[in-house]
Amino acid sequence: MSRNNNGFNSYVYIPLILTFAFLLGCFAVALMTIRDDEAQDYTIANVSEFDTVSKDEKYSYVETKEDDGIRYYVLSTTEGEQAPDLVGGTEVSSSSVSSETGITKPVTKPKVAYLTFDDGPSENTIKILNILDKYNVKATFFVIYHKGMEKQYKEIVNRGHTIALHSYTHNYKKIYSSEDAYFADLKKIGNYIKSVTGTESKITRFPGGSSNTISNKYSKGIMKNLKKEVLEQGYIYHDWNVDSCDAQDNNIPVETLLENIKGSLTKYRQANILMHDTGKAKQTTVDALPQIIEYVQAQGYDIQPITEDSAAIRHNW
Ligand code: ZN
């Protein structure tokens, strides 16, 4: 009787134990996914403190919470390997070393925000420039070719903003059909900008961002090569980590654009804010701009134009 009882109990417990083990497994996987997302959130390259690994895609700088008044940047590797000590001769505070992610260096970086406008110039450009002037802040315009907009290209430069290369055609099918096609297009917009403004720009942003998957449709895996080749050819590419999401629809309400920015800005001390300069369809981006600037500044960010020395916020997937 006692044996039968035991046998009966075991049969009851086996599925329970299996279910528990399964749930535990799910929880572990979920935890790992969260960690992974965090580690791969974004990469900052070109940061002077991190010169030894700048432009190296293998590492991610993950900002961590403040500890004893010092904010730490944790260097993590996506491959789980130990990262090299970044700064020669700098002692690494023991409290800043994470056993999970490797070497860290305590740095309190200033809060910097880059306002970036893609796909212009347009009939909105001068309106945007006037607002920027009013607040005395400089922004970055990732431009494409638009006929008859010479005045706008020149004004961007003359008023002290950064003119950067986005693409000549912005035609995914064309530019992502091959590496040669991509660089032919990039050089074409570079030459055009130089001929109109006299400025040679090495700062660029891939149409769709470096993490775009649409390019696979035209040439599978092309982004991996392009990201490497662009840097080798002396360009510096920037993605973004704060998205106004103004590209999701035409004239998204001002309040929504603001909420989108508020939702992610303060996660980063180096914030690259994505907006668009594309005329009538993005009038609300212009309307929201004063409030965006005021909010960003109220959060303690210094608004700066992107230069060749700026931190390059890059998608890391
Ligand atoms: Zn674009």
Side-chain angles (χ1 to χ4, degrees), residues 118-119 166 170 207-208 276:
D118 284 14
D119 301 351
H166 195 31
H170 208 290
H276 289 81

